[in-house]
Amino acid sequence: SIHHLEYPPSPAQMDWSTHFPAFFEPPTAEGQGSKNLKGKKVEFADVGCGFGGLSISLAPLFPETLMLGLEIRVQVTQYVSDKIRALRLNPGSVDPDNAEDVAAAAAEGTAHPEDEPAAKRQKVEAKDAKKSKVRGIKPELMPPEGYAYDNVSVLRANAMKFLPNFFEKGQLSKIFFLFPDPHFKARKHKARIISPTLLAEYAYVLRPGGLLYTITDVPDLHIWMTSHIGAFPLFQRLTDEEIDNIGLTSGEGVVGYEGSDLQRERERAVMEAVKKRTEEGRKVERNQGGKEWSVWRRLPDPE
Ligand code: SAM
């Protein structure tokens, strides 16, 4: 149940089958982890994902990559979980940004488009294509036909605790901290999501060459985050030019692809999503607030 904060004793004992049934089978014995069907592991972690806008918009861009939102609030986690369920049931016809659409589809349990009559399916696909244009997904970045949000999930967890219980050393290729800590000033140093102790954990779960992203509309928080990450020996900040070229240079094997123009386009879409696709990011946009971001490469461990 998402009402309890449960965590596995080790990543190997985690049951991912409830999160990614297309990728894992349930454990066959108690204390064992799920059976990995396709050799995939969670690679993107959206820490404090809120209403899930980032992960849900990245999922179709990286259909082969498993991504997970981590959220501490029960109702918010439930909402994201419902939203993902609705999208899986009916990937074409649900607008993930429309709460009513999501609730209706979740309640209705609508069939997968594969089961729908061709005429209706075509309509759905046309709507989908239109929507993706609106969302700025370039046609070449569209997921393959039949894509159904199987690669995205949400976990209720306190991301400031037990992260290494869920993820192995070097498992993640991206970790996001988007609009964290709105009450930053009121919090004690130790209670902040970016701190020297926690940075050691983030560096542990992030692979060399992997990327850490931050964005905030709170200038003091931006200073706090960038100064602490900057002081941490395992992270190197990317310049604006480097940010623009993520994916083109393969670097330390960032996110595991050969560098290519297409990969760069995909990574540019990631930056767009970081800035504009989260609920908090949109709120800031509506209020015409400023945003400051940073991207950091996880350096190799010293010899
Ligand atoms: N990233 C989302 C966005 O940009 O729309 C949400 C931003 S919201 C201001 C911060 C979120 O972090 C909240 O939903 C809050 O519940 C969550 N959060 C705070 N501390 C957390 C923790 N220790 N573990 C997991 N989530 C946390």
Side-chain angles (χ1 to χ4, degrees):
S1 146
I2 67 162
H3 294 272
H4 299 277
L5 282 169
E6 288 168 1
Y7 60 95
S10 78
Q13 285 154 286
M14 175 68 184
D15 179 6
W16 291 111
S17 68
T18 54
H19 288 277
F20 305 104
F23 291 84
F24 296 89
E25 265 176 15
T28 45
E30 201 165 329
Q32 275 184 8
S34 41
K35 189 176 159 212
N36 195 331
L37 300 173
K38 298 181 182 169
K40 303 268 172 161
K41 293 176 180 174
V42 170
E43 274 199 44
F44 295 179
D46 181 7
V47 174
C49 70
F51 293 94
L54 178 89
S55 295
I56 288 171
S57 57
L58 293 190
L61 279 173
F62 296 85
E64 294 297 316
T65 302
L66 300 188
M67 49 197 79
L68 187 71
L70 299 156
E71 174 51 52
I72 201 163
R73 287 184 288 169
V74 178
Q75 278 89 352
V76 176
T77 311
Q78 186 63 58
Y79 177 86
V80 179
S81 176
D82 288 349
K83 193 157 156 175
I84 293 170
R85 185 168 167 270
L87 284 164
R88 283 182 184 176
L89 288 167
N90 209 341
S93 61
V94 180
D95 178 353
D97 298 329
N98 182 328
E100 273 173 37
D101 237 20
V102 170
E108 198 182 296
T110 16
H112 190 278
E114 296 289 325
D115 306 327
E116 289 172 9
K120 192 174 170 205
R121 195 161 71 226
Q122 271 168 15
K123 231 164 109 188
V124 166
E125 279 163 9
K127 191 177 164 198
D128 212 22
K130 205 168 116 206
K131 213 183 294 168
S132 61
K133 226 188 209 165
V134 174
R135 280 148 199 277
I137 296 186
K138 304 199 171 177
E140 64 270 29
L141 298 181
M142 288 286 280
E145 211 177 315
Y147 172 77
Y149 291 87
D150 292 321
N151 60 327
V152 57
S153 188
V154 64
L155 176 74
R156 179 163 180 248
N158 182 349
M160 293 169 70
K161 288 179 179 173
F162 313 124
L163 222 48
N165 292 71
F166 292 103
F167 308 121
E168 292 163 11
K169 182 173 175 21
Q171 178 172 337
L172 302 179
S173 60
K174 290 185 190 294
I175 188 165
F176 298 94
F177 299 90
L178 310 186
F179 302 97
D181 282 347
H183 309 296
F184 157 74
K185 279 215 160 161
R187 272 183 220 268
K188 297 211 181 354
H189 288 194
K190 272 193 187 158
R192 294 175 179 172
I193 201 97
I194 297 285
S195 72
T197 316
L198 287 169
L199 278 169
E201 279 198 7
Y202 305 146
Y204 175 86
V205 293
L206 194 60
R207 73 183 57 153
L211 298 171
L212 181 155
Y213 298 74
T214 75
I215 187 166
T216 179
D217 58 324
V218 181
D220 285 342
L221 176 55
H222 180 69
I223 294 170
W224 165 273
M225 292 195 290
T226 50
S227 63
H228 281 85
I229 306 169
F232 198 84
L234 288 175
F235 291 107
Q236 187 173 50
R237 190 166 179 176
L238 302 194
T239 62
D240 289 346
E241 196 188 338
E242 284 168 330
I243 291 175
D244 206 39
N245 285 328
I246 297 172
L248 193 58
T249 47
S250 54
E252 293 288 329
V254 178
V255 293
Y257 320 93
E258 294 298 313
S260 70
D261 286 339
L262 189 62
Q263 199 48 42
R264 179 170 60 173
E265 284 305 320
R266 199 168 272 131
E267 296 289 350
R268 284 178 174 173
V270 172
M271 277 316 292
E272 278 298 295
V274 164
K275 295 174 197 168
K276 296 188 177 156
R277 300 298 304 163
T278 77
E279 286 70 16
E280 200 58 33
R282 278 185 253 197
K283 196 163 101 189
V284 174
E285 198 119 302
R286 281 196 300 276
N287 299 334
Q288 302 183 349
K291 301 173 193 171
E292 292 174 283
W293 55 86
S294 66
V295 183
W296 305 77
R297 178 157 292 158
R298 162 67 156 92
L299 297 171
D301 292 315
E303 293 294 304

